[in-house]
Amino acid sequence: MPEAAEVAVAAGQLDLVAAGRPLLRLDVTHPRTTRAQPADDLQRFVGRRVDGVRRHGKWIVVTFDGSDEELGVHLRMSGQLLAVPPGTEPPDRHVHAVLALGPRPDHPVLASGTVADAPDPETRTAVPVPGPQAGAAGVGPGPVDVWFRDPRTFGEIRRLTDGAPVAPDLFDGRVTADVLHDAAGRRRVGVKAVLLDQLRSVSGIGSYLADEALHRAGISPVRPAGSVDRAAWERILDSARAVATESAAAGGVTLPDEGWVDLWGRPGRHGPALRVHGRDTCAACDALTRRAVVGGRSARWCPRCQRANRRR
Ligand SMILES: [Zn+2]
């Protein structure tokens, strides 16, 4: 499932592609994609110029000129945004919405020639998305379509009237060790559950970011949240931000059973750098990893590198 790093990649690339362009059409072909409101509600954005795209937690937030309302995209389990030449025939039945964007007259990014993320055909890798690949058309000045492809249909597109409906983002300055320490209070639930709760104190952390951050911080995910002291929360927060930054720089993580790809259909390259998540042995010390369910979600940790009960 895309987490802060992957969503940062998608939002950043969508900003490169969409900022400055008019939204010509928003075609929705699966009712679940727009389940938060009547599909017609989203037509209010058609004809407006995209101002920019940002990330908040796991939400991709699109802002428009002259509108206080924003368009939120959540990829959830299997959602993908893919930039393709206009009118490209979808390769399968999983493309549930198309944002048709008009030409971009004089976008500053194009003018300065710094479209660093536009892949040249040589470096494009095999993608799990069948059918035609998008290339330069995704960042050229001509029109472009952006597909919302979502095989499992947990993802959604939603009209936002008051920003993303989640807690402050992982990189928001309001998220501090004190905030997390207070949120944990005397709770006996595993510390990982506090990190995954998108609504309470921090948003953007998913399963692998939590596992990896806790490994770096030397704390087991099953340790009761209320037993983690302030200094340890500081380590956890710093680690989560570091892992997210490193992962985003490498295009994110594409696990074997998941379909994360960027706007040009490229899988993430950070997976091999993970130390415990999805691994049978710890990459740091070779010990066998352990698994447990914490707050309804799977957690993985190294019993040698991460202590469950002892205070450090
Ligand atoms: Zn270890």
Side-chain angles (χ1 to χ4, degrees), residues 22 124 129 131 135 140 294:
R124 257 183 272 141
V129 182
V294 178

Side-chain angles (χ1 to χ4, degrees), residues 91-155:
D92 54 32
R93 58 192 178 82
H94 300 304
V95 175
H96 301 319
V98 179
L99 287 80
L101 298 162
R104 173 172 48 191
D106 51 358
H107 190 256
V109 173
L110 275 185
S112 65
T114 54
V115 189
D117 224 16
D120 67 64
E122 301 292 306
T123 61
R124 257 183 272 141
T125 55
V127 295
V129 182
Q133 289 200 10
V139 289
V144 59
D145 283 357
V146 175
W147 288 346
F148 179 73
R149 182 177 180 272
D150 187 16
R152 299 185 63 182
T153 72
F154 289 109

Side-chain angles (χ1 to χ4, degrees), residues 215 275-276 282-287 302-306:
H215 182 273
R275 297 183 191 171
V276 282
C282 170
C285 77
D286 254 353
C302 169
R304 193 179 294 170
C305 296
Q306 297 166 262

Side-chain angles (χ1 to χ4, degrees), residues 6 9 13 117 123 125 246-254 260 262 266-274:
E6 293 74 29
V9 171
Q13 292 177 337
D117 224 16
T123 61
T125 55
E246 291 164 23
S247 180
V253 170
T254 302
W260 156 252
D262 70 8
R266 300 171 301 182
R269 305 178 306 280
H270 192 64
L274 300 182

